[in-house]
Amino acid sequence: MSRWEFIGRSADLGRLLSAVTGGEGRGLFLSGTAGIGKSRLLREGIAALPTDRYAIWMVAASATTATIPFGGLVQVLPTEQPRGLSPAGVLRWAVDALRQQAAGRPIVLAVDDAHLLDPPSAALVHLIARLDNATVLGTLRNGEQVPLPIRALWTDDLVDHAELAPLDLADTTGLLAAILGGPVESCSADRLWRLSGGNPLLLRELVLAALGSGELHETYGIWRWTGRLELAPSLTDLIGVRIGQLTPGVRTVVELAAFGEPLGLELLTRAADPAAVETAEERGLISVVRDDRRLDVRLAHPLYGEVMRRRCPVSRTRRLQAQLADLIEAAGKRRRDDVLRVAVWRLDSGTGQDPALLLGAAVQAFARYDVPLATRLARAAVEADGGYAAAELLATILMFADRPEEALDVLDAVAGQLDADDRYSRWLTVRGMVSYWGLRQESTVEEMAVRAAELTDTADQTRVRAFEAIMRLHRLDLAAAQRLSCAVLDRPAAGVASRELARCTIAHLQAAQGRLVLSAAAIAAVEAEAAQWRGDMPYLQLALELARGTRLMLAGELAGIDAIVVDEFADLAGAGDFRLGTGYLGILQAYAARLRGRSAEALKTSLGACAVLTSSRVYAGLAHAERAQAAALRGDAVAAAEAMADADRTHSPGMAVLYPWLEQARGAVLAVTGDLAGAVKHLAELADRLRADGFAGHEVLVLHDLVRLDEATLPVGPRCSDGHRRTVAQRLTELTEQVDGVLPPLLARHARAVASGSPDDLLAVADEFADHELNVFAAEAAALALHRLRRQRAATAGAAHDRLGDLLGRCDQLRTPALRLGQPALTDREWQIASLAADGVASRRIAEQLFLSPRTVENHLQRVYGKLGIAGRPELRAALRCIPGHGDGVSH
């Protein structure tokens, strides 16, 4: 990892090159903070210039040469200077020397760290910039004194001057992937980007430290950072230099900001000298930002806080934290997260460990899905004699932190304190979650049913029944799940959280049944009550997201999936290490990418979900199934089979409700491994099972998978009164009356077009799929239409080639059976000749290049035309683009 690849900054690099090669030939100076990448950008730009066209000199000024006349340009000037020249004469001599070396070529002088140039060198750079046939480029570090001749370059309008911005998240993610040799999980990339501030040098130091400590590791091919920050000495020293020497007053300001950010400016000026606050802002150590009507103080860089906190002595740390808690409490804890902040400061400073405060803060942290912080605060509340309530909360959090055995120990420790029905019902539901989802004990459902009957209070009983209902849904006791959920909703005494949990169960069931409109209404109702249930049952969000995600996937609403993977819950879950949430959202994101044909993104995102859910007992199997689908989409049979084996190994029996997704993935794996007959048999049997379970929403998608395998006329389901069975196409048409949304009629039209073999109908369906961004389905429909047109030698085959090429151009690597079906088989020699011909190479040149006769080349081309169903060379390029696995290599 000695040299990092140059990633991103394409616009900055283009601007730098255009400063040399553009019509005006103006120079460019780039300013920026240390480590932002100025020097690397300058070197990359210079390396891209042709040395035969330009006379290029690259120099690096330094503090060592800053006091030596012409020391900054000693690398480019002749070793011997004429004697007896005046200062002006020396400058003229230097310009003439460079012109002589350039030998008529345009001069390009690049100066790294131009602020360190000695005065004569700075004057010479200014003179060169004024030459007609010369361009000056350079970098400057922010906050440094710039020599007047250099500053005059842009004030006199001789060169452009720009600030080099930090790397954005996309470029940082790309840089991390390039250096680590594999993709980085999105939350990890986001955290590293925020901590480094988009500074490549700081990013490098963070990565090196994280690798050295083992906190940055690879799982399922995805790099993931635990979030525990290790500061190597080199990074600490680098940040220390940036911070510089601090007076006692400024140190107090920076330390208070380090422990308290964001901190109101008014509060900070009460705790510290206002003049010191102003000095800290002037030096760029803190920044003052407006938040609504309030001015907040933050550190100018996230790593400043890490360094200051680590350098602060323990005694002063505790004093500052107590001081911050006193300030906020005196102001009345007016902001939403003030209770949480005060509790953490009190805990860390060892002052006033009030169990009620700790418990309230733990509830807040869990409601924000910050699992590590919530765990810490809840444990502190238990140790501070917070009683049963603290133990219940801690056990709940441990359950969602994938630590069920520890959660069970906490619950058993307070089993003797269940002296009231409300406590008993809450204890029972938490223990039920731990046993059912955490320890995979399916008998928990019956145990809860028996114990719920013993409760006398309606509110307590409905809470247990709501949990029993969702457990029964997950293990496919569908009728009981529906009945129990409705019973909860029918009880006016049911608590808000109990009622909305039951509504989530119904919403999920309705989505699976294809009643998507009702499911959407139920989901909206749960969301409307979020403020009422989040404090009591924040994990209800998972049930909500599972119901909503199921509905969106079955409806093919990719834009809806896009919206929920970037909403507030996604941000909170990612920042708070709530792995069940981030893992499931990753599965949804991979699903949307797959249907859009972005197979690389689908595979990367699904791998990321698998890595996040490594220890999960809930969604791991689903993540591996989506990974299998992504691998199958790319035609990678080995990876698809391995992912399916992992799905079977990790899938929890208590999540049987997810079987449609796993079994649909199994069908894709069978198909990509070449067992088309096995895939058809499996999918047909799966459709029968879904029909029996009433999962019409899922059945539609599985039947469509059969259509994609050209099995639209396959008989499925039971025999009708006339003794015949419905075909796949007929059953899909029938399901349009049962399943809501625009997708089922479109899938049914696709099935009828496949059954009839009408190329026009298939192309029309392809256009409709494309309108919904369902690019894989669109490409498959267009490919089948093209196959039919080729067989008919139809004149419209050329237009179909163009259409399929456009659709495949929206995707990356697609290798589905539907795209291979009817695909013309070109030999290696035919493909070689056809590729050259498509690039415009004449037959005679092809013959010479391949050591063939021109007649042989023409014979090969005629066979290619026949196989592709085209008339000649004009249609060849478009036709080759339509062959998955080959068209990718045709130049455009």
Side-chain angles (χ1 to χ4, degrees), residues 83 227 314 361-362 371 463 481 517 526-527 577 738 751 764 779 792 799:
R83 296 183 178 180
V314 173
V371 173
R463 186 180 183 91
V517 173
V526 177
E527 286 183 303
D577 200 28
Q738 301 178 34
Q792 298 170 10

Side-chain angles (χ1 to χ4, degrees), residues 504 527 534 540-552 564-565 567 569-570 581 584-585 588 619:
C504 282
E527 286 183 303
R534 183 158 286 131
L540 195 156
Q541 187 79 39
L542 277 179
L544 174 62
E545 298 302 340
L546 184 58
R548 177 162 43 188
T550 301
R551 192 194 73 78
L552 290 170
I564 67 172
V565 299
D567 69 2
F569 172 65
Y584 181 69
L585 293 178
L588 293 182
Y619 296 136

Side-chain angles (χ1 to χ4, degrees), residues 40 144 151 190 219 257 267 279 340 343 345 357 539 640 691 697 718 778 782 813 879:
R40 183 64 182 276
E144 299 289 346
R151 183 178 297 278
D190 183 75
T219 307
L267 291 177
T279 302
L340 182 58
W345 290 327
L357 175 65
Y539 48 86
R691 183 173 187 166
Q813 181 175 312

